Amino acid sequence: MVVVLLLPRDSIEGKLDRFKEFTLDDHGVNSLMIVTSTYWLSRIQSFLYCNENGLLGSFSEETHSCTCPNDQVVCTAFLPCTVGDASACLTCAPDNRTRCGTCNTGYMLSQGLCKPEVAESTDHYIGFETDLQDLEMKYLLQKTDRRIEVHAIFISNDMRLNSWFDPSWRKRMLLTLKSNKYKSSLVHMILGLSLQICLTKNSTLEPVLAVYINPFGGSHSESWFMPVSESSFPDWERTKLDLPLQCYNWTLTLGNKWKTFFETVHIYLRSRIKANGPNSNESIYYEPLEFIDPSRNLGYMKINNIQVFGYSMHFDPEAIRDLILQLDYPYTQGSQDSALLQLLEIRDRVNKLSPPGQRRLDLFSCLLRHRLKLSTSEVVRIQSALQAFNAKLPNTVDYDTTKLCS
């Protein structure tokens, strides 16, 4: 007697010698049983995968599981990987048929399973978002609401708050948080800046402000210049205060569109002389040093307060270090890919908050250098690994960045 079995599943190849008993009928007489291939497939899969502890169960192709005849006795053996489309395996692992060996396009191998090539939430590592909407944020900034004030340390060797000074020469001020030393579990976002500036009566001098932002610490050379009033970047808004002196609130509103990381705000104050132009409605400005006669530089100035507005976000440097460690010591190839994918997501979201320009600033390297305290060679190695991994992903486009931190 000859029985032909149709076995369409890779998981039962090479094991036909175990199914000779199926060539006999229930009475032990050689006969030809006319049944469908589905019946034989179910019987064979049940024998292979649902035959532990001496009990033969029933295998279900739909649920990829066994139904055992006795709930108290487990009849399920190690099931093979599921081969198919989407999240199913493309092939099983050659050394372990219960795990995936390769995945379909758009999925990555992680600990023997195929998972979508989409990074999980990065909130565990670093926060980014705020619940404030644009209109609400603008209202709070206009009111200089202390609920969104970030308490920064004021430092200046050139001047003191609430004290009159001669503004003819450049003055330097800092608003710094020192988070890279004392608050390692937080990073900070700047939403706006406010200064209250007063001038003496009939002053000919007008303040000019230049602002630099240091995102995560380090030297002043690792700061970027804020392009106030250039292109679509916001400009200072000046509001006259009801005081005897000429006092104004200077407010720079970044909002959600231009918000960015900050650790230190560098403010440079210089003055220009305002004079009447050829036309009565026109004003012209001179640098104080352009006048030979210093008596033309009239007036004094004082700054009553400087406030930086924004919010603080969760940051876990140790968790990011653990991700980086998996690049060198992966538990499995899948865990290394998962770590690379998470680091890519963090890198892109951090760099997305760089200031406007033809190219993004490499803020991610600044984060690694000054908040994780990594060496320059370590940062270069991590960036190279991310770039190589990103090139292998489908439908991804890498971008060039401008180096900010050494």
Side-chain angles (χ1 to χ4, degrees), residues 65-79:
S65 62
C66 295
T67 302
C68 300
N70 187 338
D71 292 338
Q72 311 228 337
V73 180
V74 179
C75 67
T76 305
F78 291 106
L79 299 177

Side-chain angles (χ1 to χ4, degrees), residues 77-283:
F78 291 106
L79 299 177
C81 76
T82 305
V83 179
D85 298 327
S87 60
C89 309
L90 184 63
T91 61
C92 296
D95 58 335
N96 187 345
R97 306 285 290 180
T98 67
R99 298 169 69 87
C100 293
T102 56
C103 298
N104 294 296
T105 303
Y107 292 82
M108 59 177 287
L109 188 64
S110 176
Q111 299 181 349
L113 301 174
C114 291
K115 296 184 178 180
E117 286 179 334
V118 177
E120 298 176 1
S121 172
T122 58
D123 290 344
H124 173 63
Y125 305 100
I126 183 172
F128 290 97
E129 304 304 332
T130 175
D131 295 332
L132 292 174
Q133 301 300 313
D134 288 338
L135 289 177
E136 181 183 15
M137 187 181 300
K138 187 172 183 179
Y139 174 80
L140 292 174
L141 287 171
Q142 287 174 342
K143 299 296 183 182
T144 60
D145 196 300
R146 290 190 175 273
R147 287 176 292 180
I148 58 171
E149 181 182 358
V150 181
H151 297 284
I153 304 169
F154 175 81
I155 301 173
S156 177
N157 292 326
D158 299 330
M159 52 155 289
R160 301 173 70 177
L161 294 178
N162 291 303
S163 297
W164 293 101
F165 60 88
D166 180 359
S168 299
W169 306 96
R170 189 177 73 161
K171 310 296 180 185
R172 182 186 180 198
M173 298 163 278
L174 301 181
L175 287 172
T176 187
L177 297 166
K178 301 290 184 182
S179 299
N180 54 341
K181 291 183 179 179
Y182 308 121
K183 297 179 182 178
S184 60
S185 63
L186 294 173
V187 290
H188 311 277
M189 198 75 74
I190 181 172
L191 297 173
L193 192 64
S194 177
L195 297 86
Q196 189 180 110
I197 303 176
C198 295
L199 304 172
T200 52
K201 210 167 187 180
N202 300 323
S203 173
T204 62
L205 298 176
E206 182 165 303
V208 179
L209 300 172
V211 181
Y212 292 79
I213 300 294
N214 186 299
F216 298 110
S219 65
H220 174 50
S221 62
E222 296 170 325
S223 302
W224 55 269
F225 175 69
M226 190 175 282
V228 174
S229 77
E230 294 180 11
S231 300
S232 58
F233 201 84
D235 197 357
W236 291 101
E237 297 178 14
R238 283 185 285 184
T239 306
K240 181 74 168 63
L241 300 178
D242 188 15
L243 294 174
L245 301 171
Q246 296 185 59
C247 293
Y248 296 84
N249 264 345
W250 287 55
T251 304
L252 183 64
T253 303
L254 303 180
N256 281 318
K257 184 176 182 180
W258 303 113
K259 66 182 180 182
T260 187
F261 296 101
F262 88 100
E263 180 69 26
T264 302
V265 180
H266 302 259
I267 304 173
Y268 291 93
L269 168 68
R270 59 184 178 85
S271 298
R272 59 185 180 181
I273 295 175
K274 184 177 181 180
N276 294 327
N279 300 324
S280 57
N281 295 329
E282 183 179 338
S283 297

Side-chain angles (χ1 to χ4, degrees), residues 312-330:
S312 301
M313 299 167 295
H314 162 76
F315 175 65
D316 191 342
E318 295 304 321
I320 298 180
R321 285 193 186 96
D322 289 341
L323 280 179
I324 294 170
L325 279 176
Q326 292 188 46
L327 306 187
D328 295 321
Y329 308 104

